[in-house]
Amino acid sequence: MAAAPTLSIIMPVLNEGPGIAQTLLALAPLRARGVQVIVVDGGSADDTVEQARQVLQALPVLGGAIIADNDAVPIDARAWQIVSAPHGRAAQMNAGARQSVGATLLFLHADTHLPPAADTLVARALNRGSHHWGRFDVHIAGQHGMLRVIAALMNVRSRWTGIATGDQALFMTRAAFEAVGGFPAQPLMEDIEMSKRLLRLSRPACLRQRVATSGRRWETRGVWRTVLLMWRLRFAYWRGVSPERLAGRYR
């Protein structure tokens, strides 16, 4: 019997059909080294689930299943899973964590690629004993020249404040995830609130190795417009505006 994975990658998805195959194929080397991959669908109306199933079944590791949240995890589903869960990134990530078996959890956006040795980097960062959680530096892929500046500022701000964003691929021990009660049940800023909770346990391990995330959000909506919107939303959240109201503004 294969050993249980030590790292579980949890990926919340919604209507990611055009790009999900590429993202999952990029995880093939990690999957071959025993990393568990869990895709959590929040009710996609496209072919996201079918695309994910085809890729995951093709990876050269036996085992896997398509299950519903709160189902028992069969032994042969340790390699990969596709889980259905209520819509909402926080709810989806919590559902994936419930189905995972790894001692360490990594939450990955569907448009973000990890560095090749991500499993080793995460294990090394957490095994030092001074950190219970962490994140990677981020590179924003796209044509606009300001995306590199935005990414650099995100990395510096995160290293200074200890607050991480979902684009930076948050990772943590299972014990830390459970100690803070998982991601908060809110429609926006769940990564910010999760960081605040985890800061009660330790400062984050801020890895300088970079994940690459898509700049589509900035380029589609306009780079400066998106930056200003996110600043306004963060400031409003700091002032106590509810995540529900902020989610309406974001949409």
Side-chain angles (χ1 to χ4, degrees), residues 100-140:
S100 67
V101 295
T104 302
L105 309 178
L106 187 152
F107 299 91
L108 184 68
H109 286 185
D111 60 358
T112 301
H113 289 193
L114 294 169
D119 51 344
T120 301
L121 295 170
V122 168
R124 187 180 302 154
L126 297 180
N127 286 343
R128 292 170 182 164
S130 57
H131 300 292
H132 297 280
W133 67 292
R135 85 330 173 249
F136 291 85
D137 273 1
V138 66
H139 163 74
I140 304 175

Side-chain angles (χ1 to χ4, degrees), residues 56-93:
L56 291 170
Q57 285 184 334
L59 296 185
V61 181
L62 298 177
I66 300 178
I67 63 177
D69 183 23
N70 293 323
D71 282 354
V73 180
I75 295 298
D76 62 359
R78 285 178 168 175
W80 61 264
Q81 295 174 41
I82 299 175
V83 180
S84 60
H87 170 57
R89 187 169 279 163
Q92 290 171 241
M93 292 189 290

Side-chain angles (χ1 to χ4, degrees), residues 20 35 45 52 55 58 81 89 122 126 131 143-144 174 177 188 208 224 229 231 233-234 239 243:
I20 188 68
V35 172
V55 172
Q81 295 174 41
R89 187 169 279 163
V122 168
L126 297 180
H131 300 292
Q143 299 300 315
H144 200 290
R174 178 178 295 277
F177 178 87
L188 198 67
R208 294 192 179 277
W224 289 113
L229 172 63
W231 282 355
L233 292 176
R234 283 174 175 269
R239 292 186 61 197

Side-chain angles (χ1 to χ4, degrees), residues 70-245:
N70 293 323
D71 282 354
V73 180
I75 295 298
D76 62 359
R78 285 178 168 175
W80 61 264
Q81 295 174 41
I82 299 175
V83 180
S84 60
H87 170 57
R89 187 169 279 163
Q92 290 171 241
M93 292 189 290
N94 287 338
R98 284 193 293 271
Q99 300 292 0
S100 67
V101 295
T104 302
L105 309 178
L106 187 152
F107 299 91
L108 184 68
H109 286 185
D111 60 358
T112 301
H113 289 193
L114 294 169
D119 51 344
T120 301
L121 295 170
V122 168
R124 187 180 302 154
L126 297 180
N127 286 343
R128 292 170 182 164
S130 57
H131 300 292
H132 297 280
W133 67 292
R135 85 330 173 249
F136 291 85
D137 273 1
V138 66
H139 163 74
I140 304 175
Q143 299 300 315
H144 200 290
M146 279 302 300
L147 293 178
R148 295 183 65 181
V149 177
I150 293 169
L153 292 174
M154 287 173 59
N155 296 331
V156 170
R157 180 191 64 208
S158 175
R159 189 167 278 106
W160 178 56
T161 63
I163 300 296
T165 68
D167 291 325
Q168 294 172 301
L170 275 76
F171 58 84
M172 63 204 69
T173 65
R174 178 178 295 277
F177 178 87
E178 294 175 349
V180 301
F183 285 89
Q186 58 190 61
L188 198 67
M189 303 292 178
E190 76 287 336
D191 47 0
I192 306 302
E193 188 61 34
M194 185 63 163
S195 295
K196 291 180 179 179
R197 294 181 179 188
L198 290 166
L199 277 170
R200 301 169 191 165
L201 304 179
S202 75
R203 294 280 298 181
C206 296
L207 303 187
R208 294 192 179 277
Q209 292 84 358
R210 299 186 299 176
V211 297
T213 193
S214 170
R216 62 182 177 176
R217 177 179 61 185
W218 286 272
E219 294 184 326
T220 300
R221 296 183 174 186
V223 172
W224 289 113
R225 180 183 178 189
T226 302
V227 169
L228 292 174
L229 172 63
M230 296 309 298
W231 282 355
R232 288 198 299 267
L233 292 176
R234 283 174 175 269
F235 180 67
Y237 187 66
W238 177 75
R239 292 186 61 197
V241 178
S242 72
E244 290 72 22
R245 287 183 60 188

